[in-house]
Amino acid sequence: PLGGVLADRFGHVKVMAVSIAVLAAGSLMALGFDETTPIWMMALCQSIRGAGISTTISPLVTWSMQGLPGPRIALHAVVPQLKRQADAVSSRGATALMVFCAERLPQMGFSVLGSFQAAFGFSAALACIEAVLAFTLAFKVERRHQDR
């Protein structure tokens, strides 16, 4: 609901871009986790990441459906599904990387903690790429509206 309210006020593409940047910020913050990081800090970072993801979905669905004739809506309903799948793949990839690193890094003389940082680094890298793409799209949409 919050994403939809913000999108109605500020525009769908802008809200998506900022939401993805929030996701990236939460992921980047998690890179600093170590064995002394308090649980509340971990919960805060995960909450920030969750807010970024959840606030992206509603504007993405609405924006992708705008102006479509009725028969085409079902076809284009796949766009938000692709976003969700991309998020799921990045989460699975980060988990797989974390498990792999937790097993292999200690054998190579690294700490187990490095596996978590590697996984969050992977997640942060994907979120940063998404943020750059979203801001690029927002800039193009804004420029197109100014040209009209």
Side-chain angles (χ1 to χ4, degrees):
L2 177 62
V5 171
L6 293 173
D8 289 342
R9 183 170 177 122
F10 300 107
H12 296 90
V13 177
K14 289 178 185 175
V15 172
M16 286 186 298
V18 170
S19 298
I20 292 170
V22 168
L23 168 63
S27 297
L28 290 170
M29 288 170 56
L31 285 173
F33 288 175
D34 63 13
E35 59 275 352
T36 64
T37 303
I39 194 75
W40 67 265
M41 179 61 84
M42 292 180 187
L44 176 66
C45 287
Q46 289 299 89
S47 297
I48 291 170
R49 293 177 77 228
I53 290 171
S54 64
T55 309
T56 303
I57 298 301
S58 179
L60 177 65
V61 170
T62 306
W63 177 73
S64 66
M65 302 289 183
Q66 281 181 335
L68 292 176
R72 304 236 349 153
I73 288 177
L75 174 66
H76 289 279
V78 75
V79 172
Q81 294 300 330
L82 290 174
K83 169 68 173 128
R84 288 185 195 139
Q85 290 302 320
D87 289 340
V89 167
S90 68
S91 295
R92 287 185 199 119
T95 302
L97 180 64
M98 188 183 311
V99 170
F100 175 80
C101 291
E103 181 180 330
R104 299 291 182 201
L105 286 179
Q107 294 172 0
M108 297 186 296
F110 294 97
S111 72
V112 174
L113 179 61
S115 66
F116 294 101
Q117 290 168 332
F120 280 118
F122 178 70
S123 177
L126 290 176
C128 287
I129 290 168
E130 281 186 5
V132 167
L133 293 173
F135 276 104
T136 301
L137 175 64
F139 178 73
K140 286 182 179 182
V141 167
E142 187 70 28
R143 201 152 98 218
R144 193 174 302 146
H145 284 285
Q146 289 175 352
D147 291 343
R148 288 184 186 177

